[in-house]
Structures are given as structure tokens and as C-alpha cells.
Amino acid sequence: MLTTLIAFFGACVVVAAAPGPSTMLIIKESLRSRRAGFLTVLGNETGVFVWGVVAAFGLTALLAASEVAYDVMRIVGAGVLILFGVQTLRAAWRREGGTQVDDDEEKAARSGWASYRMGLVVNLANPKAAIFAMSFLPQFVPSGAPQLPTMVALAALWAVFEIGYYGLYVWFVVRMKGVISRAGVRRRLEQVSGGVLLLLGIRMAADV
């Protein structure tokens, strides 16, 4: 079991290190505040755990088998990424034009669980995350172990591990606040993150 866990956490590092929509969203929200960034991480990892549980019950196999269901989720997910990308680019353009909202007002407008919901929605609206969980977790179920509880436990470990991993992203962005808070630097980072989210959304929509 120890060998299995070591291999599992090693694979988790590789998975988390691969850039994707969740990574860009976490960085984007961390530019706002530590709280926004961390709540985005929690939302994303709630989605990871949900897909892990769904995979444990074998329900993601239905998604993989149904082209219509997969395409509906793919289009919805692409729309979410495109929306977030456009919103981020608009915020960057407002900063460039000198019409941006004051940071305190911006944080107040984004208080509550908005960042958590963004992280959750981006993960749950991605059908590839569901299919990946279905193929990833069973590889680490030891021979003879009960599959359902073992996969649920692995899904929980996966989510907890990524909370710590992506928490380092949040910590780094916040530590760089002195540099990032400069209007030009923050605007460029918002342009990059917004552009990447937009392109990822377009790519997902075109993925046939």
C-alpha cells in the first residue's frame, strides 16, 4: 500500500503541474487577494473530489459512452472559460484605460463565495476532468482492495494534495504582491491569464 501511495502522489504532482484552465483561474484570482485565490483552489478541489466519487460509482463511464452528454458538457465548459476569459480581458482593458474600479471596491464586489464557485464551475463543467478521473484513479487501487471505498479515499487524497500544491501558487502570487500590484504588471498578467482562458475555451469548443 505504501508503494501504491508513493506512486499515486508522484502521479498527482505530474497531473497538478500540467497547465490548464484551473491553474490559470487560480493565478487570476490570486491576483485579487489571498482569500480569493485560496477559495478558488477549494472550489476546484471540491470538483476534483466530486468527479472522483462519480468515477468510483462508475457514472463517468456513462458520460464517456454518451456523445451527446459529452458534447453538451464540452460546450457548456467552453462557454464558461470564454466568459471568464472575456471578463478578465475587459478588466485589463479598463485598467489600461484608467477606468478601473478601485481595488477595495473590486474586492468588496467579489466578496463571499464567488471565487469558490468559479473554481467549482470550471472543474465540473470540464468533461475531460470527469473522463480523466475515471481512467486515473482505478490504476492505484491495490489488487484485492474494495474498489468503491478505495477510489473515494484516493479522490479525497488527490483533492487534499492539490489544495496544498495549488496553495503554493497562491502563496507565491501574494508574496510577489509588491511587484504584481504595479498597474502595468498586473494588467499584463490579467491580459495573459484572460487570453489563455479564452483560448482554452475556444479549443474546448472546437474539440470534436
Side-chain angles (χ1 to χ4, degrees):
M1 189 63 185
L2 179 60
T3 302
T4 299
L5 287 176
I6 292 173
F8 176 70
F9 285 123
C12 286
V13 172
V14 175
V15 171
S22 296
T23 304
M24 295 310 304
L25 186 64
I26 289 165
I27 293 174
K28 181 183 84 70
E29 289 299 292
S30 298
L31 290 172
R32 298 181 183 277
S33 67
R34 178 188 290 108
R35 181 173 183 268
F38 192 66
L39 284 173
T40 305
V41 172
L42 290 181
N44 182 70
E45 299 318 313
T46 301
V48 167
F49 179 68
V50 168
W51 283 133
V53 172
V54 170
F57 280 93
L59 299 180
T60 47
L62 299 177
L63 176 63
S66 173
E67 185 176 349
V68 173
Y70 183 88
D71 284 343
V72 168
M73 279 197 65
R74 178 174 57 81
I75 296 302
V76 170
V80 169
L81 291 177
I82 290 171
L83 175 62
F84 289 162
V86 169
Q87 288 177 341
T88 305
L89 288 174
R90 287 182 61 190
W93 290 332
R94 287 200 301 269
R95 292 184 189 282
E96 189 169 11
T99 59
Q100 74 273 19
V101 180
D102 180 79
D103 282 346
D104 290 336
E105 294 179 1
E106 187 179 11
K107 289 177 183 177
R110 291 294 309 278
S111 62
W113 291 91
S115 296
Y116 176 87
R117 290 194 299 269
M118 289 177 68
L120 179 62
V121 168
V122 164
N123 192 285
L124 291 184
N126 185 359
K128 290 185 177 180
I131 304 302
F132 180 78
M134 180 182 68
S135 61
F136 177 62
L137 293 176
Q139 300 179 53
F140 300 96
V141 177
S143 178
Q147 182 159 328
L148 177 59
T150 303
M151 284 184 64
V152 170
L154 288 174
L157 288 174
W158 184 12
V160 170
F161 173 84
E162 287 197 349
I163 288 174
Y165 184 92
Y166 287 123
L168 293 176
Y169 280 56
V170 177
W171 176 84
F172 179 77
V173 172
V174 172
R175 290 285 292 179
M176 295 293 291
K177 202 75 170 180
V179 175
I180 294 173
S181 60
R182 297 173 187 171
V185 176
R186 179 168 179 178
R187 185 173 64 248
R188 294 304 177 195
L189 285 173
E190 286 181 333
Q191 289 172 342
V192 170
S193 60
V196 171
L197 287 170
L198 182 60
L199 290 174
L200 287 171
I202 294 173
R203 180 181 176 184
M204 184 181 292
D207 186 15
V208 294

